[in-house]
Amino acid sequence: MFKYYARQHSGSASATKPAAWLRHLALSCCGLLLAVQAAWAQGAVPQWNLLLISIDTLRADHLGSYGYRSVSPNLDRLAKEGVVFEQVYTPVPLTLPAHTSLLTGMYPPATGIRENGEVLPASIPTLAEQLHAKGFQTAAFVGAFILDRRFGLARGFDEYWGEFPLHRYEGADPGTIQIRGDQVQAAAVKWVDGHASHRFFAFVHFYDLHGPYLMPEAWRQRFSSKPHDGLYDGEIAYVDDLIGKLWEDLIRLGIADRTVLIITADHGEGLGDHGEENHGFLLYGSTTHVPLIVRYPNRQFAGRRIATVASLIDVAPTVCALLGVPSSPSFQGRSLVPELSGEERPALPAYSETLYPYRHFHAAPLYALRDERFTFVQAPRPELYEYRNDPGELHDLIHTNQAMANSLRGDLETLLGSMANGPAVSAASPEVLEQLKSLGYVGPASLSRGAPPFNSSLPDPKDRMALYRQFQKILELETKGDVRSAAAGLERLAASDPALVIVQIEAGLARQMLHEDAAAVEHFKAALRADPENPTAHFDLGVSLNNLRQYAEASRELELATKLQPSNSRAYTVLGITRAEQGELAAAMDALDHALTIDPIDFDALLNRGNVHLMLREWDKGRDDLQRAESLEPDSAAAHQALGTMEFYQGDLNGALKEYQRTIELSPRSSKAHSDLGLLYLKMGKSAEAASELHRALELDPNNREAVEALAHSSGASQ
């Protein structure tokens, strides 16, 4: 089944403690806001549009405007026409939490979104809501399921483009489910074409730099022979070309010079630096340093470069200042507009975190703080780097500059403490916790989903990198189709530390793919012993229990999965199937209805709700669901078989014949399809055709009771 699986240096970083930073931030924003509001009241604020582009997984040092070789001519040209902020950092190197910070102006501990798959609480305002309330027409075009509307970022957007038919990705990592950039760009162009006469905010998200690389073959051929980073650079070049075309469309429409263009990224990519190929596990600049290019209308401030440290949380307040929109009091970032006029302000260090090692690899969480000169990383073995002179962060100064390390560590701990009251979106309710305890999942060694420890006795993520790389290589075997070898390799890793949650889950999924659900169950249970509130493990355990026909136990696990992760439409779908198997048709209908509320194009939910309607003899509703399912997947044997059954019971034998024949075309080795067709032929009085189909059904499955009984009945009748 589908799986859901994280200005130049101007003095000492310790000059301003976090509480003072926050006070200064509030005063700065307030003063700027009053100035903007006064100008707005006088009609002086230009009526600009906003085009915000996020290039997922783009590290800053792979753009020409940040010193790299030229693979991005359009981005480099736009950088020369605008302002380049040289030292911008993501709060977290994971797609959903980073974009949440970008679009709310808040750090992850404050939003509660600290890894992929969580849902933004409705109480937290978004930039889109701010702009929509001021009359902007708003649209988002997202290239990855990780940013699907179910996770809360669609609020404030009139249109939130991007559909992800999850049933086509059974067994896939959600992080790989994407829409190629040319489709994203085309959708954005079409929308802008239709809204050019109105003030708008368009958010465009390109996911192409995030593996797997899906660039067109012509682009792949150009870069496949390049050095180590060739395909990564190829994706940069490909997206650069798409952004160039998108901008040309704005020029064609005559609106480029009244549109603020902001280009940034959610995080970078390790590409092997510090042993990290991807992102999310460590907090070095390779994965946290992101570009930020701001092109003003009429190229105002063109060519300016700002060296002040900044964060993605500064983008939302900057946008509000530029567009003359009141800034939300919830913003924790500050506008970067004053830097353009050369205003001297105390620098605010940039905070970053990753809980991925903590929640998935039985390792400590990581926290980092960057001031105008130094990077401090809080870990079991803390680190300190002077990144301006050591951009690769290769020379750890923790033992030679302990005073600076202690100062930054204190600032970091105080800042985290000031955000400790953020929403805990992953926390289970007391009722769910009690249910988990009653099932024996919660014990003294279980992972806590509350505030992760600042000082952790768990292994340092740096010491888990070899294991993490081994884990990734094993998953590559699975991707290549060698699932059995992958399962064995994952089980060896799991044996080294049973509390490796993600390894246990992946081992279970591999066994599930091999139809060895009894073995899969043990791995999912091991994951839950380490992390009782893990919704993925509960969901996958429920799937395997359903496959084993242990329906009561499956329902229990799937119900827990829906309570722990209400956005998981697939959990509701499988729960509906399980309840239907138990004969609980009303409860099945409730679960399937809920699944389709979350994901209206959930093929499996439509198919199975249609089947439940048939069982309840609700023919019209059943027909509607099944036809919608068939429209999503015209070549689905299951959809045609269900439609045939509906026609059979309604007396349209010719309609049933058409659907059953199509079913066999699509699935010629389905015993059930042949027996259904045999029964139809009996109903139509075609004895020879019926016998042929029923015998074929028994060849494929000697235990097909319908075929056995039908043949016995027809034989007795002929005597």
Side-chain angles (χ1 to χ4, degrees), residues 219-550:
W219 289 89
R220 183 177 295 275
Q221 290 178 1
R222 282 179 55 189
F223 287 88
S224 59
S225 61
K226 302 292 183 183
H228 173 66
D229 302 339
L231 289 179
Y232 179 78
D233 286 346
E235 288 286 14
I236 294 175
Y238 173 55
V239 171
D240 175 82
D241 185 67
L242 295 174
I243 291 173
K245 292 174 180 176
L246 177 58
W247 188 245
E248 285 296 323
D249 189 66
L250 270 71
I251 294 173
R252 175 183 61 81
L253 292 168
I255 59 175
D257 281 334
R258 55 184 174 91
T259 299
V260 176
L261 171 65
I262 298 179
I263 301 169
T264 189
D266 57 343
H267 55 74
E269 188 77 320
L271 299 177
D273 291 355
H274 299 274
E276 186 175 25
E277 289 293 337
N278 306 118
H279 53 271
F281 210 87
L282 303 174
L283 290 178
Y284 299 107
S286 53
T287 62
T288 58
H289 183 204
V290 297
L292 179 60
I293 298 167
V294 180
R295 186 194 185 280
Y296 285 70
N298 299 314
R299 305 184 189 183
Q300 187 179 7
F301 305 117
R304 189 163 298 184
R305 302 183 72 90
I306 308 296
T308 303
V309 170
S311 169
L312 284 184
I313 68 166
D314 298 326
V315 172
T318 300
V319 164
C320 288
L322 289 172
L323 300 180
V325 173
S327 206
S328 170
S330 63
F331 289 165
Q332 293 176 308
R334 65 175 181 177
S335 169
L336 300 174
V337 171
E339 269 72 14
L340 296 171
S341 62
E343 178 181 330
E344 290 291 329
R345 299 191 296 175
L348 299 184
Y351 165 85
S352 299
E353 69 171 34
T354 179
L355 306 191
Y356 184 85
Y358 175 67
R359 290 187 175 175
H360 300 285
F361 268 87
H362 199 209
L366 293 179
Y367 306 97
L369 200 64
R370 288 175 174 83
D371 70 358
E372 291 293 273
R373 182 178 173 189
F374 291 98
T375 298
F376 173 77
V377 180
Q378 170 63 17
R381 297 198 317 281
E383 301 163 75
L384 180 72
Y385 300 97
E386 190 175 2
Y387 67 88
R388 292 200 185 261
N389 295 324
D390 178 21
E393 296 172 324
L394 301 174
H395 306 289
D396 189 358
L397 305 178
I398 195 72
H399 298 299
T400 59
N401 199 342
Q402 192 66 53
M404 176 57 69
N406 289 340
S407 175
L408 287 172
R409 183 185 187 280
D411 290 348
L412 178 58
E413 190 167 15
T414 303
L415 178 61
L416 266 171
S418 73
M419 297 187 288
N421 295 323
V425 298
S426 296
S429 68
E431 294 77 13
V432 171
L433 284 174
E434 190 59 37
Q435 187 176 1
L436 291 169
K437 288 178 182 178
S438 71
L439 296 170
Y441 286 133
V442 180
S446 299
L447 172 69
S448 170
R449 287 255 159 181
F454 185 75
N455 297 296
S456 175
S457 60
L458 290 172
D460 194 308
K462 296 186 288 292
D463 299 330
R464 290 290 205 194
M465 280 309 301
L467 184 148
Y468 182 53
R469 289 195 300 272
Q470 188 178 356
F471 169 71
Q472 291 177 311
K473 287 183 178 179
I474 292 171
L475 291 185
E476 289 176 7
L477 292 174
E478 186 177 289
T479 301
K480 294 174 182 177
D482 190 357
V483 180
R484 191 161 295 280
S485 293
L490 290 164
E491 286 170 344
R492 286 193 297 271
L493 281 188
S496 70
D497 182 353
L500 293 170
V501 174
I502 196 168
V503 177
Q504 294 284 10
I505 290 174
E506 290 289 353
L509 287 166
R511 291 299 172 191
Q512 200 178 79
M513 291 170 68
L514 293 167
H515 306 289
E516 298 171 0
D517 285 283
V521 163
E522 296 308 312
H523 287 295
F524 299 138
K525 287 183 175 179
L528 288 168
R529 284 192 290 272
D531 184 6
E533 295 177 50
N534 190 300
T536 301
H538 283 290
F539 170 65
D540 292 325
L541 176 56
V543 170
S544 279
L545 290 169
N546 179 76
N547 293 343
L548 293 169
R549 301 187 179 184
Q550 297 176 21

